[in-house]
Amino acid sequence: ETRIVQSDVVILSDYGKGGLTHIADMIRIARAHDKPVLVDPKGDEWGKYAGATVITPNRSELRAVVGRWSSEEELAAKAQKLRGELRLEALLVTRSEEGMTLFADEIHHQPAQAREVFDVSGAGDTVIATLAVMIAAGADWAESIRVANIAAGIVVGKLGTAVVTRRELAAAL
């Protein structure tokens, strides 16, 4: 609890390895201290993420939970229904070549950054980390996902698990 109090934002990245067995308690404690909680979900039992600020599944992770969709309207309906059920402020779906879509009170879409893709390893981690920095800095959802999308576009253009430097991000912005 002391670490949460000292933090501006909390990221919970669930790798499904058992390290986050008390994730519901962690979310509850962080939210009780008014800390935004960003979750990278795993598996298909997402009830434990209830009350988080935002979860950031990729397309296939979301499909495993809500089922297939055949249109943007159907995706939006399923995403907003899940957001309501889990009491999330937002749901950010990373969609590979389709970019990313944030479902909140408004829907914000960012198309994929057109560039050569060398390695998608770590793209989701880059998105959630950048989103966390932006939220902690007071940015709104639209600006936060715009910058997170640009950061992800930079990292997929590198080989292996890579990072985006502040200089690279500033140059891209």
Side-chain angles (χ1 to χ4, degrees), residues 118-123 126 154-163:
F118 288 104
D119 194 335
V120 297
S121 303
T126 299
I154 293 168
V155 85
V156 299
K158 299 180 178 188
L159 283 171
T161 305
V163 297

Side-chain angles (χ1 to χ4, degrees), residues 18-79:
L20 292 180
T21 51
H22 303 291
I23 194 165
D25 292 331
M26 289 187 249
I27 291 169
R28 184 184 45 74
I29 291 166
R31 300 301 282 157
H33 289 284
D34 292 322
K35 306 298 179 179
V37 179
L38 294 76
V39 179
D40 184 1
K42 283 292 170 280
D44 56 8
E45 297 292 324
W46 288 5
K48 59 191 169 191
Y49 307 133
T53 306
V54 61
I55 60 174
T56 62
N58 62 35
R59 268 187 312 214
S60 59
E61 290 166 336
L62 182 67
R63 193 178 299 121
V65 173
V66 302
R68 297 192 171 279
W69 54 86
S70 57
S71 67
E72 289 297 311
E73 293 75 22
E74 188 178 2
L75 167 60
K78 287 178 180 254

